[in-house]
């Protein structure tokens, strides 16, 4: 089988394409995801098929979604045997209009995702009713550090922690991609995904209402932001910024609201 990764492929800036070109890194990502022969894996943007090839070695089945017309056609040819064996299910479409409810229960996500829609993709899968068991994502290094290592919180980091456990796994240098991005990447995992922190949908919705209100004006203290929105402030210190308020406090406020 001849894989697209071995050919000259022109990346499209409009799709945020940076193709992973190192097979060993692809293998390391899949090993870090702890894929088993019982797992159905959803891959976003298979691109050159480098990661897809490794996933197929270890998963029960791979469902992949590719937005690029040319890449989709080439992947169909390159992975024709796997598609015929129903080991690979290849779809053409944009992840931003994809419905995770179409995926089987208990799936996992492994993907090299575009930088510019990282937050949108993560929220899509964490907030859906059909959540994945876990996610292993190749993202911008700065994003991985911010959500898994930084003491300062953000809407994205708190959203991840409300649904699962984010962890910075390892760094991937920019030279591992073609074209090389301007910054390094990192592999980020989100494990133990569930809604265990929320007693019902009302609390879940209130949690995000609080977050968006609290982070609405970064120059203001969080109490001021929440009071302006008519929301409870609980025991939040007078001069606390939203980025300094831990998950437990936001969850407590959402249960009281």
């Amino acid at each position: 089988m001849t894989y697209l990764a071995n050919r000259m492929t022109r990346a499209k800036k409009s799709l945020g394409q940076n193709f992973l070109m190192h097979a060993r890194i692809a293998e390391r990502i899949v090993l870090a995801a702890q894929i088993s022969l019982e797992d159905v894996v959803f891959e976003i943007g298979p691109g050159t098929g480098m990661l897809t090839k490794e996933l197929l070695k270890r998963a029960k089945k791979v469902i992949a979604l590719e937005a690029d017309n040319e890449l989709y056609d080439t992947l169909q040819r390159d992975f024709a045997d796997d598609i015929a064996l129903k080991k690979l299910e290849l779809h053409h479409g944009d992840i931003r209009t994809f419905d995770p409810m179409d995926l089987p229960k208990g799936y996992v996500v492994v993907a090299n995702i575009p930088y510019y829609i990282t937050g949108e993709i993560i929220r899509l899968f964490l907030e859906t009713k059909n959540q994945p068991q876990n996610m292993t994502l190749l993202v911008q290094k700065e994003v991985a550090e911010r959500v898994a290592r930084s003491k300062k919180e953000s809407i994205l980091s708190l959203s991840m922690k409300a649904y699962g456990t984010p962890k910075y796994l390892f760094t991937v240098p920019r030279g591992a991609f073609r074209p090389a991005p301007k910054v390094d990447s990192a592999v980020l995992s989100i494990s133990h995904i569930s809604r265990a922190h929320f007693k019902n949908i009302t609390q879940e919705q209130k949690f995000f209402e609080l977050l968006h209100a609290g982070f609405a004006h970064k120059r203001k203290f969080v109490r001021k932001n929440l009071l302006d929105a008519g929301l409870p402030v609980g025991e939040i210190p007078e001069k606390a910024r939203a980025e300094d308020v831990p998950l437990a406090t936001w969850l407590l406020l959402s249960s009281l609201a």
Side-chain angles (χ1 to χ4, degrees):
M1 183 179 293
T2 302
Y3 289 92
L4 185 60
N6 297 320
R7 305 173 186 171
M8 292 299 293
T9 306
R10 181 174 296 179
K12 295 181 175 64
K13 289 185 179 181
S14 62
L15 295 177
Q17 292 174 335
N18 295 99
F19 302 125
L20 179 64
M21 303 305 295
H22 285 239
R24 288 186 179 180
I25 292 177
E27 180 182 25
R28 188 179 178 191
I29 292 170
V30 175
L31 289 173
Q34 299 182 334
I35 301 299
S36 77
L37 291 175
E38 300 299 315
D39 289 321
V40 174
V41 180
F42 181 65
E43 183 186 6
I44 304 160
T48 65
M50 181 68 74
L51 191 57
T52 313
K53 180 180 178 182
E54 295 300 323
L55 288 169
L56 286 166
K57 293 178 181 178
R58 294 171 175 81
K60 176 182 179 180
K61 182 179 181 179
V62 177
I63 302 172
L65 180 71
E66 178 55 59
D68 186 293
N69 294 333
E70 181 182 352
L71 290 175
Y72 174 75
D73 291 340
T74 307
L75 287 165
Q76 279 194 309
R77 294 193 296 270
D78 287 351
F79 289 91
D81 292 345
D82 297 293
I83 293 172
L85 292 171
K86 300 188 183 303
K87 182 82 172 177
L88 172 64
E89 188 177 308
L90 184 64
H91 296 274
H92 181 225
D94 191 323
I95 187 60
R96 290 169 293 185
T97 59
F98 180 78
D99 187 355
M101 294 301 293
D102 293 333
L103 294 170
K105 297 289 184 181
Y107 68 99
V108 300
V109 176
V110 182
N112 169 25
I113 60 178
Y115 288 166
Y116 75 104
I117 52 173
T118 295
E120 191 173 348
I121 289 173
I122 291 173
R123 286 192 298 271
L124 172 66
F125 286 93
L126 293 183
E127 295 177 18
T128 179
K129 291 183 179 179
N130 186 26
Q131 294 174 313
Q133 293 185 60
N134 55 70
M135 303 176 73
T136 304
L137 306 171
L138 193 49
V139 301
Q140 189 173 341
K141 181 182 178 182
E142 181 185 351
V143 172
E145 289 180 332
R146 192 186 315 141
V147 300
R149 288 180 168 177
S150 176
K151 293 181 180 180
K152 298 293 185 181
E153 298 288 7
S154 65
I155 292 179
L156 182 59
S157 68
L158 288 165
S159 298
M160 284 192 194
K161 293 172 184 176
Y163 289 116
T165 304
K167 184 178 180 181
Y168 188 110
L169 298 183
F170 60 90
T171 303
V172 178
R174 64 197 74 182
F177 300 88
R178 192 185 74 224
K182 295 181 180 180
V183 296
D184 291 334
S185 297
V187 177
L188 174 72
S189 72
I190 310 171
S191 59
H192 305 101
I193 297 173
S194 75
R195 283 185 161 78
H197 282 307
F198 303 113
K199 58 187 178 184
N200 52 43
I201 187 65
T202 300
Q203 184 189 359
E204 185 178 352
Q205 292 172 344
K206 186 59 66 175
F207 174 79
F208 285 102
E209 182 183 354
L210 285 159
L211 281 190
H212 287 288
F215 281 88
H217 305 286
K218 292 185 178 180
R219 293 186 179 182
K220 293 183 180 180
F221 295 124
V222 66
R223 286 179 66 94
K224 174 63 173 173
N225 285 338
L226 293 176
L227 288 171
D228 285 349
L231 295 169
V233 296
E235 300 299 320
I236 295 177
E238 286 287 343
K239 295 188 177 181
R241 303 285 184 186
E243 63 185 11
D244 298 317
V245 179
L247 174 66
T249 300
W250 295 106
L251 289 170
L252 177 60
L253 290 177
S254 67
S255 68
L256 299 174

